[in-house]
Amino acid sequence: MTRKTRSATAVAIGLGIALAATACAGGGSDNSSKGSSGGKVSFTFWENASPGPGADYMKAAVKAYEALHPNVTIKMQYVQNEDFDGKLQTALNSNSAPDVFLQRGGGKMQAMVDAGQLQPLTLTAADQTNIGTAALASDTIDGKVYAIPLDTQPEGIYYSKDLFQRAGITSTPTTMDELQADVAKLKAINVAPIAVGAKDAWPAAHWYYNFALRECSQDTMMGTVKSLKFDDPCWTKAGDDLASFLKVSPFQKGFLTTPAQQGAGSSAGLLANHKAAMELMGNWDPGVIESLTPNQKPLPDLGWFPFPAVAGGQGDPSAMMGGSGGYSLSKNAPKEAFGFLEFLVTKDQQEAYAKGFVTIPVNKAAQGIVTEPYNISALQAFNKAAYTMQFLDTEYGQNVGNAMNTAVVNLMAGKGSAADVAKDTNAAAAKG
């Protein structure tokens, strides 16, 4: 569901009030095949929220649930985002998995289901109301729910309104031609047009993902989930689009060695400090940006617009890359672990979660808390999207996704071609 390092540092005013106001929610499900007998229970919880109000919210939520259920102890562990997948896979394979953990979804979740490592979740009517049918769709396999989403994560381009104004850009681009024209205007005022953290591979690959979303039809992209064959010409066309875009040098100098989210020199840090005007990223980005501004406060001129349309593409121009951030239970998790997830999707918790992570909560009753202009823009585009796709290294599984990401970076480094992206991805899929 997510690859975010969710270090959101929005001021968490009212978190304690919201947590205390939440009634004894959770625990009302029938999800008790691995449940306790009512005595002392402890379970483990793996989370990737970096230090800041997002992590503070999670700690407070744990304490609040424990206060409501005195027999329960939750052992929360922070795992750095870039290390999360590898450590989780090792734990799952060695039967030492955490009871509750961040779920990426897509092919990664499918592999866990196929290996019998996840618990199917039985939702109450209240749970379904809190989450919503649409949000559960990506967490459902063969009619069974395997994860509880907490937020929606539409991806788009974050930008500095001040730098756009300085460059004479009066409206956000809706086509690639317009984006390229804006790149030229930003270069004219000596500002890096777009920041990308290619050192971490996946942020660079997201440019290819979005070109593929525009070039490939929905049927092709969804059919590839099952076939894992990247033979449709649209996959190479997406690489051609990226190669063409690279010719206008849209990214900052040294983008191949720039990290995505760590420090002022990261791609998020460049936008946070007005060293770059744009960054393509999921909606966890504002919190990361905020943590990297000089005063560690929200970037006041931050805006958002969807990935531009690509002429002649087979994909719907309103389609969006993104997902939902949520959590799964490992096969031996106790019923109290599921009760904790139910607790997290109640209205008060969702409002506090949204404040802490500067995000869009999945519970529609809590979406009134979304007031930031960039999140409003993203939510409006998300609600109008013809369809959404999970990030491709999630949708198509870890091995295939990693090969795709590496091939995209090679393309951007001049060490590979557009055709190589599909070829290398196909080769990884053939290995299984």
Side-chain angles (χ1 to χ4, degrees):
M1 293 180 188
T2 167
R3 66 169 38 72
K4 58 192 174 187
T5 298
R6 301 174 307 172
S7 79
T9 53
V11 178
I13 296 173
L15 274 182
I17 295 174
L19 290 164
T22 303
C24 297
S29 77
D30 222 6
N31 207 73
S32 55
S33 61
K34 300 293 183 180
S36 71
S37 60
K40 294 289 185 180
V41 179
S42 67
F43 62 85
T44 51
F45 172 33
W46 281 17
E47 164 60 28
N48 74 337
S50 298
D56 292 344
Y57 161 74
M58 280 300 188
K59 293 175 184 176
V62 165
K63 290 181 180 179
Y65 188 75
E66 289 176 335
L68 293 171
H69 304 273
N71 65 314
V72 175
T73 300
I74 303 174
K75 299 176 181 178
M76 185 169 74
Q77 179 180 343
Y78 165 72
V79 181
Q80 206 278 331
N81 185 66
E82 267 62 39
D83 298 333
F84 196 95
D85 286 359
K87 289 187 175 181
L88 176 61
Q89 195 59 56
T90 298
L92 287 166
N93 292 343
S94 62
N95 291 317
S96 59
D99 296 298
V100 182
F101 57 87
L102 182 73
Q103 175 59 257
R104 307 290 193 182
K108 295 178 181 179
M109 186 170 74
Q110 179 72 62
M112 295 175 196
V113 171
D114 291 344
Q117 296 168 329
L118 300 186
Q119 237 182 87
L121 308 177
T122 303
L123 273 58
T124 66
D127 296 335
Q128 293 178 22
T129 298
N130 287 336
I131 301 167
T133 303
L136 284 170
S138 62
D139 301 315
T140 302
I141 296 176
D142 296 331
K144 295 181 180 180
V145 176
Y146 287 97
I148 298 295
L150 300 188
D151 61 4
T152 60
Q153 298 168 0
E155 179 165 73
I157 298 178
Y158 289 90
Y159 73 101
S160 163
K161 294 179 181 179
D162 289 351
L163 291 180
F164 268 41
Q165 184 176 17
R166 278 181 50 197
I169 301 170
T170 57
S171 61
T172 55
T174 60
T175 67
M176 287 307 300
D177 286 344
E178 290 175 356
L179 179 59
Q180 291 188 25
D182 291 343
V183 164
K185 291 177 181 178
L186 288 160
K187 285 184 177 181
I189 62 167
N190 296 316
V191 168
I194 303 171
V196 64
K199 180 181 179 180
D200 291 326
W202 60 263
H206 279 215
W207 281 90
Y208 176 79
Y209 298 175
N210 279 274
F211 278 122
L213 185 69
R214 296 287 178 258
E215 289 291 358
C216 300
S217 69
Q218 183 183 17
D219 287 346
T220 295
M221 298 198 82
M222 293 307 298
T224 305
V225 174
K226 294 183 178 181
S227 70
L228 289 181
K229 293 182 179 179
F230 298 81
D231 298 329
D232 191 287
C234 68
W235 295 108
T236 297
K237 185 66 171 65
D240 288 335
D241 291 340
L242 177 56
S244 177
F245 188 51
L246 288 169
K247 291 178 181 179
V248 303
S249 300
F251 304 123
Q252 81 279 9
K253 293 181 180 178
F255 70 89
L256 292 169
T257 56
T258 299
Q261 301 175 118
Q262 298 83 37
S266 66
S267 57
L270 293 174
L271 180 54
N273 293 280
H274 285 166
K275 301 297 184 182
M278 292 177 269
E279 184 184 29
L280 173 67
M281 193 60 67
N283 83 322
W284 59 88
D285 205 29
V288 179
I289 291 169
E290 179 180 336
S291 71
L292 298 172
T293 59
N295 58 6
Q296 294 192 330
K297 292 184 178 181
L299 190 66
D301 66 316
L302 189 63
W304 182 96
F305 60 91
F307 196 86
V310 173
Q314 299 174 50
D316 191 292
S318 71
M320 295 186 72
M321 191 62 61
S324 58
Y327 296 83
S328 287
L329 301 185
S330 57
K331 61 182 180 181
N332 294 320
K335 66 180 181 181
E336 288 80 3
F338 181 66
F340 178 58
L341 295 185
E342 292 179 295
F343 174 72
L344 294 179
V345 294
T346 57
K347 180 176 180 291
D348 291 337
Q349 286 298 312
Q350 282 276 280
E351 288 178 345
Y353 175 90
K355 286 182 180 178
F357 285 113
V358 198
T359 190
I360 301 171
V362 71
N363 189 328
K364 289 186 177 180
Q367 288 181 351
I369 203 73
V370 177
T371 58
E372 302 86 0
Y374 48 81
N375 269 341
I376 291 173
S377 296
L379 182 58
Q380 289 172 342
F382 187 79
N383 288 338
K384 293 177 182 177
Y387 52 90
T388 62
M389 285 290 298
Q390 292 264 20
F391 302 116
L392 299 189
D393 56 352
T394 295
E395 194 71 72
Y396 299 136
Q398 187 168 347
N399 292 338
V400 171
N402 286 346
M404 179 180 287
N405 292 354
T406 299
V408 173
V409 173
N410 287 339
L411 169 63
M412 296 175 77
K415 298 179 180 179
S417 67
D420 288 336
V421 177
K423 178 176 68 69
D424 293 352
T425 306
N426 273 325
K431 293 179 181 178

